[in-house]
Amino acid sequence: MFINELNSILSMQCVIELRDGNTIEEFSRKFNIPLLGVFRAKGDRDTLTYFLPTDISESREARVFIDMFKGRREDGMWTFYADSRGFPSISYVRQIHDIPSVVLDGLILADGSHILLFRFHTSRMNAVSDLLISIISKDRRVKLLYYGKTGGFTNLLDRYSQKFPLTVVKLKYSSTEPQGNAYPYYLETKFHSLPSLSRSIIYLKKGDQITNGDKVIKCTELEFEEHNELLETLLTDGENVPVCTISRIRKIFNGETELEIIIPDSFKKMLLRRIHQATKRFSDMDISLQSVSRFLPSPETT
């Protein structure tokens, strides 16, 4: 997997807890179920999309909550939303994300708290720590649970898969991304902001570079920005329900792009349907499904 090749490049991690005391957090505490969330930036407003099993709606109290937030059924799950107007602490996610190299690995709502896991490059330690100290010193709703070495991205995925079984989906297509000079390079998607703007961490070999329009990007740069309609179709579907993804990494070389997406098992049907839509919409890109397999954690973490 691509994560094995890039495992330790973003070697730092921070884990923060947000506890706003809002209705959604009270719901998670009352019913004692962990909810997965997806962050999206939409202009000056940030949103979180939450997912929970449809069988929870058999409870009258749960159904009242779902109706309150205008929940929708999607592939065996309920989806509902919160935004920064009703949940101001969401804005901290974008502030941290805006630091080059920072990527959000997971957003989990459990027992009345939002737990956010970020990875980042050692060269951005001062920027991340300064921002975290500033946020925590003025907002008692935010706690720093961990700040330090990651132990590698694969280790994070191993631990994640203990609570949420994961699936790895691989695609190949004719590249729309610029080509490298001599070597493959990688793009790890951070997030999408509508419409179709994608921000990624770029991994280039030392001394290599790519040309994107009038801009030359060298190995010392950490981020890559693009308008990518294919990724939007696969992962966010415009204004509709996003797919909850844990990792989104592309390898670009010789005019071809390989895309590796890691998702919780429960989102496999949703993603495969989006892939079908993409093959029809972008027929000239020769999109092909390469593999769908269960993520297997390392033996020492099981």
Side-chain angles (χ1 to χ4, degrees):
M1 293 187 296
F2 297 158
I3 58 169
N4 296 324
E5 300 173 49
L6 309 175
N7 186 38
S8 300
I9 297 178
L10 301 186
S11 60
M12 298 298 294
Q13 181 189 31
C14 67
V15 182
I16 65 174
E17 177 187 62
L18 303 179
R19 190 184 288 265
D20 248 15
N22 57 36
T23 307
I24 291 176
E25 290 174 345
E26 291 299 321
F27 174 83
S28 76
R29 182 184 298 110
K30 181 178 182 62
F31 290 94
N32 193 30
I33 54 171
L35 306 181
L36 293 168
V38 173
F39 172 82
R40 285 201 288 181
K42 301 173 68 174
D44 60 354
R45 182 165 57 95
D46 301 324
T47 67
L48 291 179
T49 303
Y50 299 92
F51 303 88
L52 73 160
T54 53
D55 56 12
I56 191 69
S57 61
E58 295 174 4
S59 161
R60 183 179 180 279
E61 288 181 280
R63 189 54 189 263
V64 168
F65 170 86
I66 292 168
D67 290 343
M68 181 194 315
F69 283 88
K70 299 179 180 178
R72 297 167 51 185
R73 282 183 180 270
E74 185 83 16
D75 290 325
M77 292 171 286
W78 284 103
T79 64
F80 53 94
Y81 305 87
D83 64 36
S84 49
R85 293 174 299 188
F87 181 14
S89 296
I90 293 176
S91 64
Y92 295 140
V93 179
R94 191 194 293 217
Q95 289 179 47
I96 299 171
H97 243 166
D98 278 345
I99 299 173
S101 87
V102 175
V103 60
L104 177 65
D105 288 322
L107 192 159
I108 302 170
L109 174 58
D111 194 28
S113 296
H114 288 82
I115 306 299
L116 307 170
L117 299 92
F118 297 92
R119 271 179 303 128
F120 57 97
H121 194 267
T122 54
S123 64
R124 292 300 188 266
M125 285 179 63
N126 287 346
V128 173
S129 62
D130 288 349
L131 177 58
L132 289 175
I133 291 170
S134 174
I135 291 171
I136 292 166
S137 65
K138 66 185 180 184
D139 194 335
R140 66 178 63 186
R141 299 169 300 181
V142 184
K143 292 182 180 179
L144 182 61
L145 302 183
Y146 179 78
Y147 181 92
K149 294 289 186 179
T150 64
F153 188 28
T154 52
N155 180 264
L156 296 179
L157 288 173
D158 286 346
R159 297 186 181 282
Y160 202 106
S161 66
Q162 291 174 14
K163 290 189 176 181
F164 302 99
L166 302 176
T167 290
V168 183
V169 178
K170 293 186 178 181
L171 303 174
K172 183 183 287 187
Y173 59 88
S174 301
S175 297
T176 57
E177 300 86 355
Q179 298 299 297
N181 285 355
Y183 306 100
Y185 72 96
Y186 296 85
L187 293 171
E188 181 178 0
T189 303
K190 288 171 56 132
F191 66 88
H192 296 272
S193 57
L194 300 174
S196 72
L197 181 64
S198 177
R199 289 178 58 187
S200 300
I201 297 156
I202 186 166
Y203 302 94
L204 283 165
K205 285 187 177 294
K206 187 175 182 180
D208 202 13
Q209 64 184 40
I210 63 172
T211 302
N212 186 27
D214 296 329
K215 184 177 181 182
V216 175
I217 300 172
K218 300 181 180 180
C219 66
T220 52
E221 298 185 47
L222 294 171
E223 295 209 355
F224 180 82
E225 197 169 90
E226 62 187 316
H227 288 277
N228 193 309
E229 293 185 358
L230 173 60
L231 287 183
E232 181 184 340
T233 298
L234 292 174
L235 304 179
T236 71
D237 196 19
E239 295 283 352
N240 294 321
V241 177
V243 177
C244 182
T245 56
I246 309 304
S247 174
R248 308 143 301 271
I249 300 176
R250 286 169 282 166
K251 179 181 181 181
I252 298 96
F253 191 55
N254 279 343
E256 288 190 331
T257 298
E258 297 177 70
L259 171 60
E260 179 181 274
I261 304 172
I262 300 178
I263 54 174
D265 283 357
S266 53
F267 291 85
K268 183 164 57 177
K269 182 177 180 181
M270 183 187 296
L271 179 57
L272 290 175
R273 190 174 66 249
R274 300 280 173 84
I275 293 170
H276 177 67
Q277 294 168 355
T279 58
K280 292 182 175 297
R281 182 179 176 188
F282 306 101
S283 57
D284 59 330
M285 294 176 64
D286 297 321
I287 301 169
S288 62
L289 183 66
Q290 300 294 296
S291 64
V292 179
S293 59
R294 177 66 65 88
F295 173 83
L296 299 177
S298 302
E300 58 266 25
T301 63
T302 57

